[in-house]
Amino acid sequence: MFSTCICASSLAPTTPTTTPAAMPGDDQAAKPVADPFLRFLLPAPKPRPAEPSPPARLVPPHGLVAPPLPLPHARPDERLFIVPPTRPSWLPPPPPPGTTVKPRPVAPPNEHRARNAGRFAGNGNGGRGRVPGAFLPPNRGRAGPERRKVATDHKSKEKKAWVAVEKKGEDAGDEDPAVGSEGYSGGDEGGNEVEEDQLELEGGEQETEQEGGDHRQRLDQQGELKNSLAVAPDGNGDVDRPIENLLMPQSNQAPRLRGRMRRRQVECRHDIDTFTPGFIELYESLKPSEEHKSKQQQLVDSLAKSVSKEWPNAQMHLYGSCANSFGTAHSDVDVCLEMEIGTGSAVEILLRLAEILRTEDKFESVEAITGARVPIVRMSDPGTGFSCDICINNLFAVANTKLLKDYAQIDQRLLQLAFLVKHWAKLRGVNETYRGTLSSYAYVIMCINFLQLREPNILPCLQAMEPTYALNVDGTECAYFDEVHQLHDFSAKNKESIAKLLWAFFHYWAFHHDYRNDVISVRLGKTISKQEKNWTTRVGNDRHLMCIEDPFETSHDLGRVVDKQTIRILREEFERAAAVLQYDEDPCATLFEPYIL
Ligand code: GTP
Ligand code: MG
């Protein structure tokens, strides 16, 4: 090629009458061109180069190819900017260009599979999954290809018919089933929750449904870079882990971010109300029977006799779920003794009470738990199997018991929602304060606040209304509007079914609640900022990662026990629950599948 070029230019005729260059093996080349017309087909004469010829320039136009510049020796993080983005290997190959992508049937990948098998890592049972009988490999808590594979291998789930729910073309053009289906199942949160919250705040919350795929892709890439390069110290005082431990594989994290962003905007499935009868039936079955209540009363009477012998002036209050109407057939009996303590202490009284109850031999397993925030005596009734907690002068609990009972009378959907949430929390193993998850009381408070914020409101904010009830506890006024019979029509404008509310509750806690900044407050009927409460950092054992203000003891965060590990577990469980309600063909059953440790 190169030699041909040289020949063509050097032998070209300088005048129109000269013959063309002879080419090897070309018979015609030796003959003169007779027809002047054909001369126009000859190459144009090349102008002689000016003398002397300048050195070759490396700027266009030129005929020279500059040698490739040597790649600078990049540090690993710099290489991220040089290497073009590649499609992660775990995604299916993209469709050929020009193919119209059909809306994807929403697959049931692993959204309610063991997301956190390995939860409570310190308990030695970390690898066990939540499917009864299953013993899952130790990496079941991980996202990515392995988890997806295990999920799709699970035959029993494959047979289910899943309902696709679309919103304004949400999934149209989504060529990425793995990503789309990740919405509820999320990815590995092996890093820390603050890092993730940061991602959501910086990237995720900016996206709206109207924004196209390009923008989504850009955000993903930005998110991936942030994941890799910009890990901020957590705002909760825990900065002791090395940064590399906080980083997660990009293939895990981007889909999660994408999924979270997407599902924030999702609408509830259209057939959600068909599940309401099932949920109502379950709720009815959870309500304690009359027989159960009368047995509880017998236990209380028997206890009252024992107490009055030693402390005749003590007043006995029932508190907690046996008195606030949120009690199920499995709830314990909570009793508060109101009495003058004199020179002794509440702990001394409890130790004495435990002694008395043991000698009377009416109750079993009598135990004084004195190290708790609220010291108690715990025992069980052999006849009924009921567990009973007795505390001294815990009048805040008496006040909040009445508050909850009054809220329950305004709209029956509160009781239904709270019963189902409590039942779910018990079965899913996220109702254990000693392990860093939430108390039943905290879940009821979450339900009240959720219904206060529903549009149109289902519950009012009783503490923001003119008080008709007040109890002074240690100088704190516990006051609110308790004439709730006047509020029976309060929620008349809101017709949402319990199935829809249950889905919306989990969806809120999975995707909408701002864990980084917000505190839920039943007292004010809204969310307030952590800054306002000065709950931005860990104080002692109160981590303030998931903040739930007690309605009367406002310095008390009911979520204080939630730590970095259990906030992940909780959020994963909220996501699972939302996914089950959104997609499962039998959510009334699947939602309550027990988590087996
Ligand atoms: P069950 O699980 O049905 O027994 O629900 P419950 O509402 O009785 O919950 P639990 O036995 O955990 O709590 C008893 C009561 O203690 C609550 O209803 C509140 O009145 C009061 N309480 C106040 N602060 C707290 C707290 O931080 N944690 C718990 N668990 N209870 C609190
Ligand atoms: Mg209780």
Side-chain angles (χ1 to χ4, degrees), residues 343-466:
T343 54
S345 71
V347 168
E348 283 167 10
I349 293 173
L350 286 172
L351 289 170
R352 172 81 190 117
L353 177 63
E355 216 176 287
I356 293 168
L357 295 174
R358 276 192 207 109
T359 49
E360 281 189 349
D361 219 20
K362 285 196 280 189
F363 302 104
E364 273 179 352
S365 317
V366 181
E367 192 189 356
I369 302 170
T370 54
R373 188 182 77 95
V374 178
I376 54 167
V377 168
R378 177 164 290 167
M379 60 185 198
S380 70
D381 178 15
T384 56
F386 291 148
S387 168
C388 177
D389 288 353
I390 308 157
C391 66
I392 310 283
N393 291 343
N394 184 9
L395 296 182
F396 276 119
V398 175
N400 67 44
T401 295
K402 176 169 160 52
L403 179 73
L404 265 51
K405 186 176 181 185
D406 287 332
Y407 269 117
Q409 290 172 54
I410 298 170
D411 190 298
Q412 62 170 351
R413 287 172 290 184
L414 170 60
L415 276 179
Q416 294 167 352
L417 180 66
F419 267 65
L420 294 170
V421 169
K422 274 177 70 171
H423 185 56
W424 162 86
K426 280 191 167 60
L427 289 165
R428 299 302 300 170
V430 286
N431 180 207
E432 299 165 325
T433 44
Y434 62 94
R435 291 181 111 160
T437 55
L438 298 169
S439 66
S440 302
Y441 174 56
Y443 282 113
V444 176
I445 293 289
M446 286 158 68
C447 291
I448 295 175
N449 184 254
F450 170 75
L451 297 181
Q452 284 177 327
L453 291 171
R454 212 67 202 142
E455 284 296 339
N457 302 158
I458 294 181
L459 290 179
C461 175
L462 295 177
Q463 287 170 273
M465 298 165 74
E466 192 61 42

Side-chain angles (χ1 to χ4, degrees), residues 320-321 332 334:
S321 63
D332 59 356
D334 299 299

Side-chain angles (χ1 to χ4, degrees), residues 538-544 560-561:
R538 177 175 173 165
V539 181
N541 280 337
D542 294 10
R543 292 175 168 85
H544 300 309
R560 70 198 178 284
V561 292

Side-chain angles (χ1 to χ4, degrees), residues 29 119 238 298 411:
R119 56 163 55 164
D238 292 326
Q298 283 169 24
D411 190 298

Side-chain angles (χ1 to χ4, degrees), residues 256-557:
R256 173 164 199 93
L257 173 64
R258 222 174 336 204
R260 281 244 168 109
M261 289 188 293
R262 170 99 42 91
R263 296 303 167 197
R264 279 164 186 260
Q265 309 297 330
V266 87
E267 262 182 9
C268 188
R269 69 202 279 172
H270 304 307
D271 62 345
I272 189 75
D273 290 346
T274 60
F275 303 108
T276 292
F279 285 121
I280 301 269
E281 203 178 312
L282 176 59
Y283 157 71
E284 294 291 342
S285 75
L286 293 169
K287 283 203 295 192
S289 62
E290 286 308 314
E291 188 194 353
H292 180 97
K293 285 184 196 162
S294 80
K295 281 183 182 163
Q296 269 188 349
Q297 194 53 52
Q298 283 169 24
L299 186 154
V300 173
D301 293 343
S302 167
L303 179 65
K305 271 188 202 156
S306 308
V307 170
S308 60
K309 282 185 212 155
E310 181 84 9
W311 297 281
N313 296 323
Q315 270 194 59
M316 206 155 135
H317 304 276
L318 283 182
Y319 74 100
S321 63
C322 62
N324 64 19
S325 56
F326 291 90
T328 67
H330 308 288
S331 296
D332 59 356
V333 179
D334 299 299
V335 176
C336 171
L337 298 178
E338 185 183 358
M339 63 169 76
E340 285 290 327
I341 292 190
T343 54
S345 71
V347 168
E348 283 167 10
I349 293 173
L350 286 172
L351 289 170
R352 172 81 190 117
L353 177 63
E355 216 176 287
I356 293 168
L357 295 174
R358 276 192 207 109
T359 49
E360 281 189 349
D361 219 20
K362 285 196 280 189
F363 302 104
E364 273 179 352
S365 317
V366 181
E367 192 189 356
I369 302 170
T370 54
R373 188 182 77 95
V374 178
I376 54 167
V377 168
R378 177 164 290 167
M379 60 185 198
S380 70
D381 178 15
T384 56
F386 291 148
S387 168
C388 177
D389 288 353
I390 308 157
C391 66
I392 310 283
N393 291 343
N394 184 9
L395 296 182
F396 276 119
V398 175
N400 67 44
T401 295
K402 176 169 160 52
L403 179 73
L404 265 51
K405 186 176 181 185
D406 287 332
Y407 269 117
Q409 290 172 54
I410 298 170
D411 190 298
Q412 62 170 351
R413 287 172 290 184
L414 170 60
L415 276 179
Q416 294 167 352
L417 180 66
F419 267 65
L420 294 170
V421 169
K422 274 177 70 171
H423 185 56
W424 162 86
K426 280 191 167 60
L427 289 165
R428 299 302 300 170
V430 286
N431 180 207
E432 299 165 325
T433 44
Y434 62 94
R435 291 181 111 160
T437 55
L438 298 169
S439 66
S440 302
Y441 174 56
Y443 282 113
V444 176
I445 293 289
M446 286 158 68
C447 291
I448 295 175
N449 184 254
F450 170 75
L451 297 181
Q452 284 177 327
L453 291 171
R454 212 67 202 142
E455 284 296 339
N457 302 158
I458 294 181
L459 290 179
C461 175
L462 295 177
Q463 287 170 273
M465 298 165 74
E466 192 61 42
T468 51
Y469 164 88
L471 176 70
N472 192 295
V473 183
D474 302 336
T476 301
E477 190 84 332
C478 303
Y480 67 95
F481 181 83
D482 76 336
E483 294 180 3
V484 286
H485 57 273
Q486 294 182 30
L487 301 171
H488 274 142
D489 286 340
F490 181 86
S491 56
K493 284 193 193 136
N494 188 312
K495 306 278 184 221
E496 288 175 299
S497 71
I498 186 58
K500 169 91 183 284
L501 290 170
L502 193 60
W503 169 81
F505 175 85
F506 287 122
H507 192 80
Y508 170 80
W509 282 101
F511 304 109
H512 287 267
H513 182 71
D514 183 348
Y515 287 82
R516 173 176 273 258
N517 296 308
D518 284 355
V519 178
I520 62 157
S521 170
V522 159
R523 172 179 61 103
L524 299 169
K526 58 181 185 175
T527 56
I528 51 178
S529 76
K530 284 190 185 180
Q531 240 158 13
E532 211 173 302
K533 305 269 319 170
N534 216 4
W535 285 354
T536 48
T537 51
R538 177 175 173 165
V539 181
N541 280 337
D542 294 10
R543 292 175 168 85
H544 300 309
L545 291 177
M546 178 174 176
C547 295
I548 304 164
E549 183 192 65
D550 186 275
F552 296 129
E553 276 182 286
T554 55
S555 62
H556 182 40
D557 177 7

Side-chain angles (χ1 to χ4, degrees), residues 176-223:
D176 187 343
V179 168
S181 61
E182 194 65 28
Y184 274 107
S185 59
D188 190 348
E189 289 182 290
N192 76 27
E193 66 279 2
V194 174
E195 178 191 4
E196 181 188 287
D197 285 349
Q198 184 186 331
L199 286 172
E200 287 188 359
L201 292 172
E202 290 175 6
E205 291 184 351
Q206 294 164 11
E207 190 184 50
T208 64
E209 278 304 305
Q210 285 74 36
E211 289 171 313
D214 282 356
H215 181 56
R216 179 166 291 151
Q217 208 176 350
R218 261 202 316 279
L219 278 176
D220 293 340
Q221 285 164 8
Q222 286 165 10

